Each structure stands twice: as C-alpha cells, then as structure tokens.
Amino acid sequence: MATSGTKSTRSKRTDSPVTSHLDDLVATKEVLIACGPGGVGKTTTAAATGLIAALRYPKNVLVLTIDPAKRLANALGLEGIGNDEREIPAEAFNELGLTPKGQLSVAMLDTKQSWDALIRRHAPDVATANAILVNPLYHNITSRFVQSHEYIAMERLYDLHSSGKYDLIVVDTPPTRNALDFLDAPERMADFFASRLLRWLITPYRSRIVNIATKPFYQIADRILGSQFLQDIAEFFVAFQSMYDGFVKRAQGVDLLLSDDRTGFMVVSTLEPVPAREAKFFVDELNRRKLNLEVMALNKVLPSSFRSKDAATVAERMREDSDKIADKLAGKIFGGDVDLNSVSRVLKEVGTSFQNFQNVALQEASLEKTFAKTTGYVASVPFYDTEISDLASLADLGSRLWM
Amino acid sequence: MSQLLDSSLLFVTGKGGVGKTTVATGLAWLAAEQGKKVLICEVEPKDDLSASFECGPTPFSGTEVNDNLTAMSMNTEASLREYLKLQLRVPVIGRIGPVAKAFEFVATAAPGVREILTVGKLCWEVKEKHYDIVIVDASPTGHIVGQLAAPQAIRDLVKVGPVRSQTGWMLDILSDKEKTGVVIVSTPEEMPVNETLELTKRIANETTVNLQAVVVNQVLPELFSHTDEEIFESLKSSESIDILTQETKGDSQPVLDAARLAVTLRRSRLGHIERLRSEVAGSIPLIYLPYRFNRLDGIRAVRATADALGEEI
C-alpha cells in the first residue's frame, strides 16, 4: 500500500519531455547495470526497470539477478530455475491484465555453475577440466571469494550480451566489499593469469629448482603454510594456467563491454545519510572512470508534500490549537460522545508526527538536489511500505520509478 | 547488555544499510565512557570509522579518537607483516615488496588466508590484553561466517606448520562464550530480518562463536494507544478534514498523511519484530534502538546511539 494521497515525483528535465528518459535508455542501451550501497532495493529496482521496459517497448528484455529475496524470486518465477534463463509466459501477464509489448526473461546467477561452465569452456581438454573441478582449492576459490563472484557475474553478463538474444539486459551487482570491485574484477583476473608471479609460483614444482627471486617467498610461505599446502596450490595453478589465453581474452572482452557506450549504469540508493554517502562515492567513481552513469534511482523517498511549508504551518496550528479544534470536531464528528482530551492529544500527536517527518523530508530534498547536480537524471520512488510479492506489485513499483 | 560490554571481543554484523557501523561505534563509545579501554576496528576499510568519529584516517596501527577509544582499519598485508615479525621472527623488511605481491595471489587462491589474518589480528589484541574490549565493525551477514570460521577451515586444510598451531589459541578465544560474541544488527524489515534469522542458524552450525545479542535498529515509536487510534481513524473523513482545514487555515491532508505513514510503518515493522522475537532463541536479548527522525550523522549519531544503548542496559 502506498502512502495515500501522494504521487511519485520526478526531477524535471530541462529538455522537452517528448521522449521519456526510459525511451532514451531503451533506445540506446543494451546493458543496464544497477549498483549502489547494500540494502537499498537494488535488485528490486533492477527487476522493476526490466519489467517496465518489457511492458512498454517491443524489446526482448532480460533481468539477470544475483541474489534475489525469496519473495522477489517468487514474483519473477525464479525459484528452482538454477542458472538458466526463463521467459515469463504471456499468460502470467494476462492474468494481471497486463499486455507486454516485448518479452521478459529472467535469470539468476549461480556462481558455482557459471564457474564450472567457464572452466569447461576454457580448459584445453576434459582431463584438465576435471582435474580443476575436483580440486578442493577450486571449490574454495569459486564459492568463497567475493571477487570471483564479481568476476563471474560480469562474465555471465558478457556471455548473455554476446549471445545477441536480448535487446536489453538489466543486471544488479553483487554486494561488494569495496564499492566498485566488480568493475576491476575482469582486469584483475587478466592480470592474475598474465602475471609472472603465477609462473613463479608454479616453476619450482615443475623444475624443482627454486631460483633466487622466488626463494624468499618460498621460505616464508613454507614456514607459514607448510609445503604440502603450497604444493596443492601450485598444482592447482598449473592446471589453471593452461586456460591462460582463453581467460585473458575473455576478461578483456568483459572489460570492454563495461565501458562500451551501449552499457549504462544506474546508481540505486535511499536518501538516508549512510547509503547516500556511499551512493555519492559510486557516482563520483563512475564519473571518474568516464562510465555511462545514466540514472540515479532513489528509493523510499518521503512524499514531496511532506516538504510543504504550508503543511508545516497547519501542523503547528494543529498542535497549538488542539483543544479548540478538538472542541469543534467533538460535536460534528464524534457527536459529543468522546473525551475531548483524547482528541486534543491525538491532534497534537499528528502535528508532531508531521514535524518529525518534515525534518527528514527537508534533509532528503537537499540531498536530492546535490545528486541532481552530479547525475543527469534522478528518479525517485516515494516511501513504499509494501513487499514485492508478485509481478503486479513489481510493475506498480516500476511505473512509479519510470513515470 | 552490561554483560555484552564485559566481553573482550565483539563482532558487530548485519545486512548492509541497517546501521551496523552506527551500532559498533555506539557500543565502543559507551564502553569507553564506562572507563574501559576500547579498540574499534573496521574490517572493510571504507573510511566508515573516520566518517563516524569525524576524524582523520584510521590506520592499521590505530589512532585515538577519544579518551580510552582507539580506532583502526584492517589491512591484511600489514597484519601479515606484523604476524611475521612477532610470531615467526622472519626478517622481511627488505623483501616485503615481491613477497606482499605473491601473498596477494596466495591469499586470493588459498581459502581463509585473508580471513585468518583479519581474525588473527583481532584475537591477538585480545590475547595480549592491550584493550579491555575489542569491538569489530565486521563484514556484513554474507561474509562474516567465512571470517569467524577461518581458523577452523585453516586447521582442516593446513595439516602441519606454524599456521596450524596458531589456529589453536585463536579458536580458544573465539569459542570462549565469556570472552567473544557476535552482535547482529537488523532493522524491522523483511530482508534484514530474513538475513538475521539465516545468520543465527549459520553462526550456530558453522562457527564456534556465541551469538550475544540482536540489535533491532530504527524501531518506530507507537503514535497512538488503541482508543486514540480510533479517534485518528475518524479524522480522515471528509467532514473532519473540512473542519481541520477551516481551523488550521490550510491543507491538512499532508499532515494526516504523515501520521498515517507513521502508523502503517509502525504496524508493518511490528510484525517483523515479532517474527524476530519468536524465531531467535529466547536466551538472546533483543536490544531496541529508536528510529531517528533527525537522521543524525557522524559523531552526533555515535553519541546518540551510545546513549540509547546505555538506556537499554
């Protein structure tokens, strides 16, 4: 349920509103990446945007989601679909009285499955692939390490994009330790494979000769980790290195896609102080890297009517004249059958509550203004106290965001 | 709560955006005010501590941000240097460059190396009793288990060598209920509560660390008593709005909307609080912190949180 009597707001654009911002986005972008601080509705916003695009435009849209909440997964029919894409059938829309102009598919990222597929693709032969897949270190790398998660997410995106099946892919990014790690992941992956260090690490176990350069490292590593463990690592990397060429080429491709003009970024945030601070970092960083920051999506923004000065005056009078107003109300509304003090107390409380919210709303207004300066387009969704439980509520959210 | 600050090592975790750093810094401030010697450490160096305390950078070596309160940011490479120097007496000063780079790769590949250097440093501070309490602004719910379970994981993987023997005393500290605990921060909303409940299970099943408390942040005050709410409901009729508009000489709709929002939010959040209470073991206290309409930031937020936590004791 949305707050009664309020409408979503949208920052005014300076050019004429012949085409909406979404028109432009859908016309020019093939990939839209949602990023931003944790807990601000990134996944939901990405899904709602993809859904709206499929409803309004004759496009084949894919929503690639990393870690959806259970209810959102339900809403999108994602449960139990593993790593495959699934098209949402027309009947699902028709039941809700919706007739999409395009098609909507959804996919979820299964890190393990995606890594396995990648290894099979790049390994020179089945034996090498299997040797890697059963290595205990492999499991650890692919399941526990956040950066591998980030890399595989971008890799999968690249794969889906180059398949050419979709006109627009909307993807949310995994919660990262460092805000924009996912942008560096492809490069780091390529660096890793190209590095002399990797060769250093492997050499002694091939030639059994420890050269002068690697000696200090092995001395320390042996003392810390024990040589058996080190050998496990080396064996793993020997197998892994056979995939060098394929991996590096691939990582470079992923890197190029991120900075391509067909790729746009959407920073999602709320206007609470901490997420807003983090979002500002995202905006600055995307701009610094000259990536295409297309839109700032702000969730849970208080309705603009809460910013009204007139309403503040009303709230003030309601508190000050609560006895008098209670008296008037008592006769006409409650037919005299009410405790005047209670009515007065309720009026005071209502007035105070507004003043509390206005305090927050004004802080939000100021933050929103700051963001509008650094981001071309700001879309905001008013405080929305409902959980997304089906396509209808998701479409509702989407249409509030993209008016 | 008083027991909470009697711990020597507290990991404060939670889903992103719930106020994990605010609670960690608030706890640290409160403990320091009570005269304890406190170290607060952010595990993911995002300058959150420096923003919270409105101070300069918080280096690995620590910086005093207030009386009795030292703040530091984790740096696994610095932790490795310290470890090599203190534990293994390895002379690495001259050659740390390539070693650090090699370490970077090994740490990426070998499970738990980065984690154990993080947890190891924190346990070390506890072991050496440099502070009365070490409060950790830990990784979010998704990563905390990996960190807390790292000593055990390393123990399982590395069969011999000094690292294995090092895990022993760390495990002793981590599994000591009197000494070490986890605090999960949540807001009364669906996703944070889901993650909190999931994490309580994972902590019990996959780590040896004890869950000490769940902090429920951003709890909205109850606006009306039951009878007052009935009165409020009557105010939304058009006749009532006419009277209000007449008496206050302005549009009263937004004002009523704000109260409506407060009531709706309070109600939906209450459901999530009830879910938390019924599904978290009864022995784990829930600590409630109020929603802040003034949206404080920085040092004022730290102080306000410390005060609120102090009252919950």
Side-chain angles (χ1 to χ4, degrees), chain A residues 6 75 79 101 108 128 141-142 169 171 185 200 231 237 242 259 264 310 315 339 360-361 384 393:
Chain A
T6 58
E79 275 205 311
K101 291 200 171 117
M108 204 160 59
T128 312
I141 289 179
T142 52
I169 302 175
V171 58
W200 276 8
Q231 189 166 345
F237 283 129
S242 64
S259 51
D310 290 347
D339 172 23
V360 181
Y384 193 71
S393 50

Side-chain angles (χ1 to χ4, degrees), chain B residues 74-99:
Chain B
M74 187 50 68
N75 173 330
T76 41
E77 194 193 316
S79 174
L80 175 68
R81 279 173 195 246
E82 190 177 85
Y83 167 77
L84 292 173
K85 206 172 105 204
L86 291 172
Q87 302 289 310
L88 302 179
R89 292 173 187 26
V90 176
V92 286
I93 313 306
R95 302 235 25 126
I96 190 74
V99 169

Side-chain angles (χ1 to χ4, degrees), chain A residues 1 3-6 38-40 67-71 136-137 140-141 144-147 175-179 188 191-192 195 197-198 200-201 212-213 216-217 220-230 232-233 236-237 271-275 277-278 300 302-303 305-306 308 310-315 317-318 321 324-325 328-329 332-334 338-339 342-343 345-347 349-351 353-357 359-360 363-364 383-385 387-388, chain B residues 15-17 22 43-48 51-52 80 83-84 88-92 95 98-99 101-103 105-115 139 143 146-147 153-154 157-164 189-191 194-195 218 220 222-225 227-232 234-235 237 239-241 243-244 246-262 264-265 268-269 272 291-298:
Chain A
M1 188 185 75
T3 324
S4 56
T6 58
V40 296
D67 183 23
K70 224 181 186 145
R71 286 225 235 170
L137 287 174
N140 279 305
I141 289 179
R144 287 198 201 170
F145 284 88
V146 188
Q147 219 158 74
T176 53
R177 285 178 189 228
N178 292 308
R188 273 196 212 154
D191 276 359
F192 180 63
S195 74
L197 273 156
L198 185 57
W200 276 8
L201 214 56
I212 292 168
F217 170 71
I220 293 170
D222 265 19
R223 288 187 70 174
I224 302 172
L225 298 164
S227 49
Q228 178 57 45
F229 182 52
L230 214 57
D232 287 347
I233 295 179
F236 173 68
F237 283 129
L271 290 171
E272 293 153 294
V274 176
R277 193 165 59 221
E278 230 173 292
K300 292 201 214 168
L302 289 177
S305 61
F306 285 19
S308 150
D310 290 347
T313 316
V314 170
R317 290 201 184 114
M318 222 181 250
D321 304 338
K324 196 178 128 216
I325 304 171
K328 293 260 179 188
L329 285 168
K332 291 187 189 157
I333 308 298
F334 301 99
V338 71
D339 172 23
S342 301
V343 180
R345 188 171 59 229
V346 169
L347 289 169
E349 202 60 71
V350 169
S353 178
F354 180 82
Q355 288 172 331
N356 281 335
F357 275 114
N359 205 355
V360 181
Q363 288 178 14
E364 289 191 347
F383 217 113
Y384 193 71
D385 195 45
E387 309 288 356
I388 301 296
Chain B
K15 181 174 160 53
T22 312
V43 159
E44 295 176 6
K46 293 196 299 181
D47 296 329
D48 283 342
S52 293
L80 175 68
Y83 167 77
L84 292 173
L88 302 179
R89 292 173 187 26
V90 176
V92 286
R95 302 235 25 126
V99 169
K101 232 181 152 193
F103 158 73
F105 287 129
V106 174
T108 306
V113 171
R114 210 177 284 280
E115 282 83 353
S139 299
H143 305 302
Q147 264 168 21
I154 289 274
L157 261 166
V158 185
K159 300 299 177 204
V160 288
V163 162
R164 183 183 166 83
E189 295 167 290
E190 181 175 27
M191 282 295 285
N194 288 352
E195 283 197 16
Q218 300 181 8
L220 282 158
E222 189 166 27
L223 216 52
F224 305 117
S225 69
T227 47
D228 282 4
E229 196 167 327
E230 281 174 9
I231 295 173
F232 172 67
S234 317
L235 292 181
S237 70
E239 304 135 277
S240 157
I241 287 176
I243 295 171
L244 286 172
Q246 212 177 341
E247 291 300 314
T248 59
K249 304 176 192 70
D251 181 9
S252 57
Q253 192 62 56
V255 181
L256 290 175
D257 283 347
R260 163 75 43 216
L261 182 61
T264 326
L265 273 181
S268 73
R269 291 184 166 214
H272 294 301
Y291 184 91
R292 296 199 178 281
F293 284 102
N294 43 19
R295 295 213 171 160
L296 296 176
D297 197 10

Side-chain angles (χ1 to χ4, degrees), chain A residues 152-180:
Chain A
I152 205 70
M154 293 302 116
E155 217 278 342
R156 181 92 194 283
L157 172 66
Y158 173 83
D159 201 34
L160 288 164
H161 176 257
S162 54
S163 79
K165 275 195 280 186
Y166 302 99
D167 302 311
L168 176 69
I169 302 175
V170 187
V171 58
D172 67 342
T173 47
T176 53
R177 285 178 189 228
N178 292 308
L180 285 168

Side-chain angles (χ1 to χ4, degrees), chain B residues 36-55:
Chain B
K36 293 190 161 71
K37 203 161 177 281
V38 184
L39 173 69
I40 180 161
C41 171
E42 70 178 351
V43 159
E44 295 176 6
K46 293 196 299 181
D47 296 329
D48 283 342
L49 292 187
S50 129
S52 293
F53 294 118
E54 297 179 38
C55 62

Side-chain angles (χ1 to χ4, degrees), chain B residues 269-294:
Chain B
R269 291 184 166 214
L270 207 58
H272 294 301
I273 292 177
E274 280 162 7
R275 196 154 60 93
L276 259 183
R277 184 63 287 175
S278 70
E279 291 185 40
V280 172
S283 56
I284 311 291
L286 295 194
I287 298 163
Y288 301 100
L289 292 178
Y291 184 91
R292 296 199 178 281
F293 284 102
N294 43 19

